[in-house]
Amino acid sequence: MDTGHILLAEYEQVKQEQRARIGFRDNLIYATFGTMAAVIGSTLARSGHLDMLLLLPPLSVILGWTYLVNDEKISAIGRYVRNELAPRIKELTAERADVLGWEAAHRHDAHRRSRKRIQLAVDLLTFCVAPLAAIAVYWLLGPVRWPLLLVSLAETAMMLGLAFQIVRYAEL
């Protein structure tokens, strides 16, 4: 097997991993909404138990971090294809033609920056703002007992840490 076939096989493998990660990452959004609905529904069904809202932040951190890690790996695969594989494959072509052009072309559309900013806002809203709102509802309306107050303060710190990481990896 020659180098070109090996590189193309590698390209297929990393693209397959990227597709699988995209599907998994996107399903984490639905899992997060389902988790939110379950926690909020359970809280409403058991009136007077607003402390159940404190289940939402740790679940959101787990789902949000998993989303973020997969999103970063998806981007890393794209960078690898653009910066490593495409140039190596290009070197093997007789006319040194650009190859795997879509890997770079889709990153240069006029609306990419605004789309990335909107995605950042959606990610923060989904994984951070909603759980922080749950904490605020507990603080404002629930019977705030000191052990759960300490838990809620720790959860607030976790949510802010996740928000920082989401912004850090946003690739604006």
Side-chain angles (χ1 to χ4, degrees), residues 16-143:
Q16 182 178 341
E17 178 182 345
Q18 190 180 48
R19 283 188 294 274
R21 284 184 178 276
I22 288 169
F24 182 72
R25 178 202 60 194
D26 292 352
N27 283 329
L28 284 168
I29 297 289
Y30 303 123
T32 301
F33 291 147
T35 299
M36 287 179 182
V39 169
I40 292 167
S42 296
T43 302
L44 293 174
R46 299 182 68 201
S47 60
H49 287 281
L50 290 176
D51 52 347
M52 290 181 64
L53 290 173
L54 297 181
L55 293 171
L56 197 52
L59 295 171
S60 294
V61 165
I62 292 167
L63 292 166
W65 180 252
T66 306
Y67 175 91
L68 185 61
V69 167
N70 272 282
D71 191 59
E72 194 284 323
K73 294 300 178 202
I74 291 162
S75 296
I77 289 169
R79 280 190 304 275
Y80 177 74
V81 169
R82 282 189 310 279
N83 300 333
E84 301 292 327
L85 280 181
R88 289 167 59 199
I89 294 170
K90 180 179 179 176
E91 284 295 315
L92 296 174
T93 62
E95 59 279 344
R96 300 288 194 257
D98 283 338
V99 294
L100 309 178
W102 174 248
E103 297 295 334
H106 75 277
R107 299 177 56 80
H108 299 293
D109 71 276
H111 303 289
R112 184 171 193 278
R113 290 179 68 83
S114 64
R115 199 173 54 248
K116 293 296 277 184
R117 286 190 176 118
I118 292 167
Q119 185 63 53
L120 172 61
V122 168
D123 291 348
L124 287 171
L125 181 64
T126 301
F127 296 110
C128 300
V129 174
L132 285 170
I135 293 170
V137 167
Y138 170 71
W139 286 344
L140 294 172
L141 302 177

